[in-house]
Amino acid sequence: MANNEEPAEEVIITNGHHSIQAVKQRFRDKSAKVAQTKEMLSKQANQTKEILSKQADKIAKQAEEHERFINKVTHFLGVLGFGSFCFLLGARPQDIPYVYCAFYVTFVPLRWIYYRYKKWHYYLLDFCYYANTIFLVHLLLYPKNEKLFMVCFSFSEGPLAWALIVWRCSLVFSSADKIVSVLIHLLPGIVFFTIRWWNPATFEAMHPEGTSRRISWPYVVEDKSFLLTWLFWVPLGVYTLWQALYFLIVNVLRRQRFLRDPEVMTSYRELSKKAKKANNIWWRLSGVLGDQNRMLMYIVLQAIFTVATMALTVPIFLSYRVSVVFQILKVSASVWNGGSFLLDVMPRQVIMKEKKKSEMQPIPAPQDQPLSSTENTVNCAAAAELNSS
């Protein structure tokens, strides 16, 4: 019996060894397939990225070649569009959120194409685009969420609105880039102003039939702690999340990209470049802790600006008159800055462009000039002397 059992044990051990080997081989095969799939997807992603980049460069180059004509068309459409928007704002304020959504989903992708060519595409990581994405989610997916509305109101009438004034955004109808920059900061505030005060549905909720008492909207606005929480503390937390993500992407994940190519621009690079050239107060403040800590000081200054402007949204939210005055202030500042740009900055830019074009044009080679009669006589005499010698 012992002799019969030994082969059975050996068979069991051998079969177990083969089964383990088979399982390992299956795992290796699956790992190889996964690695192959990842490699294939990575290649396809890189190819798609290259195609999109080439198309973006091609479109941007064609736009630069026809810059003057495009500026004329932009001015024409910009003036008509702004007038139409003002009419719609008075006639059908409830449709303004949909106009804003259509604007954002149309022009921001086009801006990415242009900025990709200019190496400015990291601007789209700025807080204004982060906030506008939240606005879009609220308006399209959760339009009746009062808490999310208050967070959006804080962003739109806080940091985005005051950026128009502090960073001197200019409403120039002949520049598509400047129009989009202004509207990204200006439109959200107007949208949430109309929802808060001019939308017929919310106005009816604020003035219900059969009662003489005015009811505020949102209905829990009487609770000051709730108001402070959703207009200040929660938006501040959402802002802090953006700041952490921005620092992680720009200063950690893409750090080598910025070190390799100084032409790739971010908001910090652009602002520090202008501040250094002007040697203004922002440059001096950012250097308080030394040149090596300017990025940290930039984050601190931006955080102070955000906290201050978010705090100002509380009286804007509570008072209709303050809201109206603030809308007028924002539009007036943008128009005034646009006039300053047209009269002071644009003439200098045109002169600089023409100067660069003239410097880039090749100098024509000097053509052979016909000899005068005196030069011809001298040359003939010299030739005769050479022949005689």
Side-chain angles (χ1 to χ4, degrees):
M1 289 295 295
N3 292 334
N4 292 335
E5 288 176 358
E6 286 179 1
E9 290 177 358
E10 290 178 2
V11 169
I12 292 171
I13 292 171
T14 303
N15 290 338
H17 179 72
H18 283 308
S19 63
I20 292 172
Q21 290 293 106
V23 170
K24 288 182 177 180
Q25 185 62 38
R26 282 199 296 270
F27 275 116
R28 281 195 293 268
D29 293 342
K30 287 182 179 180
S31 299
K33 286 182 179 179
V34 170
Q36 187 177 4
T37 304
K38 285 183 178 179
E39 185 179 358
M40 183 179 66
L41 291 174
S42 178
K43 286 182 179 179
Q44 289 179 351
N46 289 332
Q47 290 175 355
T48 304
K49 186 178 179 181
E50 289 178 3
I51 292 171
L52 291 174
S53 298
K54 287 179 180 179
Q55 290 296 324
D57 292 347
K58 184 178 179 181
I59 292 171
K61 285 179 181 177
Q62 289 177 349
E64 285 193 346
E65 290 174 0
H66 304 88
E67 184 178 4
R68 288 191 176 182
F69 176 74
I70 290 174
N71 287 344
K72 291 178 183 178
V73 174
T74 302
H75 179 83
F76 174 76
L77 295 177
V79 173
L80 289 182
F82 191 75
S84 301
F85 176 81
C86 291
F87 170 78
L88 193 65
L89 182 63
R92 292 187 60 83
Q94 66 269 25
D95 293 337
I96 293 298
Y98 303 110
V99 174
Y100 159 76
C101 293
F103 157 79
Y104 191 77
V105 299
T106 302
F107 286 95
V108 171
L110 293 176
R111 166 165 275 204
W112 180 88
I113 293 173
Y114 179 66
Y115 276 19
R116 182 68 180 80
Y117 166 72
K118 288 284 190 179
K119 296 184 179 181
W120 298 346
H121 48 291
Y122 285 98
Y123 281 135
L124 272 69
L125 295 175
D126 287 353
F127 178 73
C128 56
Y129 296 96
Y130 172 80
N132 273 273
T133 303
I134 296 175
F135 301 158
L136 212 65
V137 170
H138 166 64
L139 294 172
L140 296 179
L141 300 180
Y142 307 101
K144 295 184 178 180
N145 189 311
E146 292 180 356
K147 295 177 181 178
L148 185 56
F149 168 83
M150 295 175 76
V151 172
C152 293
F153 188 95
S154 178
F155 286 159
S156 61
E157 296 289 64
L160 266 68
W162 285 99
L164 286 166
I165 301 168
V166 174
W167 307 122
R168 296 178 60 82
C169 294
S170 306
L171 185 59
V172 181
F173 289 114
S174 59
S175 172
D177 187 52
K178 290 192 174 297
I179 290 175
V180 174
S181 294
V182 168
L183 294 182
I184 280 175
H185 294 83
L186 179 64
L187 274 185
I190 294 177
V191 168
F192 292 107
F193 167 81
T194 58
I195 295 175
R196 174 79 171 107
W197 301 107
W198 285 0
N199 190 307
T202 54
F203 187 82
E204 183 180 355
M206 291 167 64
H207 301 79
E209 293 183 3
T211 61
S212 59
R213 188 173 66 89
R214 177 182 177 278
I215 299 177
S216 295
W217 185 92
Y219 308 111
V220 288
V221 79
E222 290 81 4
D223 187 351
K224 302 300 180 183
S225 63
F226 180 89
L227 188 68
L228 195 62
T229 298
W230 291 99
L231 279 179
F232 183 76
W233 292 114
V234 173
L236 192 59
V238 179
Y239 165 82
T240 305
L241 174 62
W242 165 81
Q243 186 66 82
L245 291 173
Y246 185 87
F247 185 85
L248 176 65
I249 294 171
V250 173
N251 291 81
V252 180
L253 299 178
R254 305 299 292 172
R255 178 179 175 81
Q256 295 302 320
R257 172 77 171 98
F258 294 121
L259 293 176
R260 287 196 308 268
D261 192 350
E263 292 184 358
V264 177
M265 296 304 296
T266 62
S267 294
Y268 170 70
R269 279 189 172 184
E270 178 69 15
L271 291 173
S272 60
K273 180 181 176 182
K274 290 182 178 179
K276 183 179 180 180
K277 186 177 179 180
N279 194 25
N280 57 23
I281 187 173
W282 301 111
W283 179 253
R284 292 192 290 273
L285 284 174
S286 66
V288 169
L289 300 179
D291 288 340
Q292 70 277 10
N293 294 315
R294 285 190 183 275
M295 182 65 180
L296 175 63
M297 280 302 299
Y298 173 75
I299 293 174
V300 171
L301 290 172
Q302 191 176 31
I304 294 171
F305 168 80
T306 304
V307 170
T309 54
M310 281 183 181
L312 292 173
T313 59
V314 177
I316 294 173
F317 184 84
L318 290 174
S319 173
Y320 174 73
R321 291 182 179 179
V322 174
S323 293
V324 171
V325 170
F326 191 53
Q327 305 311 311
I328 296 172
L329 175 64
K330 289 187 294 181
V331 176
S332 300
S334 302
V335 174
W336 178 268
N337 293 335
S340 300
F341 179 85
L342 287 172
L343 297 175
D344 299 334
V345 180
M346 186 173 283
R348 293 199 299 268
Q349 290 183 346
V350 171
I351 293 171
M352 291 295 295
K353 282 184 180 180
E354 294 299 328
K355 186 177 179 181
K356 285 183 179 180
K357 284 182 181 179
S358 62
E359 290 175 353
M360 292 174 64
Q361 287 177 356
I363 301 173
Q367 297 179 353
D368 294 336
Q369 299 291 332
L371 298 174
S372 64
S373 58
T374 306
E375 291 171 334
N376 194 23
T377 304
V378 172
N379 289 341
C380 290
E385 186 178 350
L386 288 171
N387 290 332
S388 63
S389 62

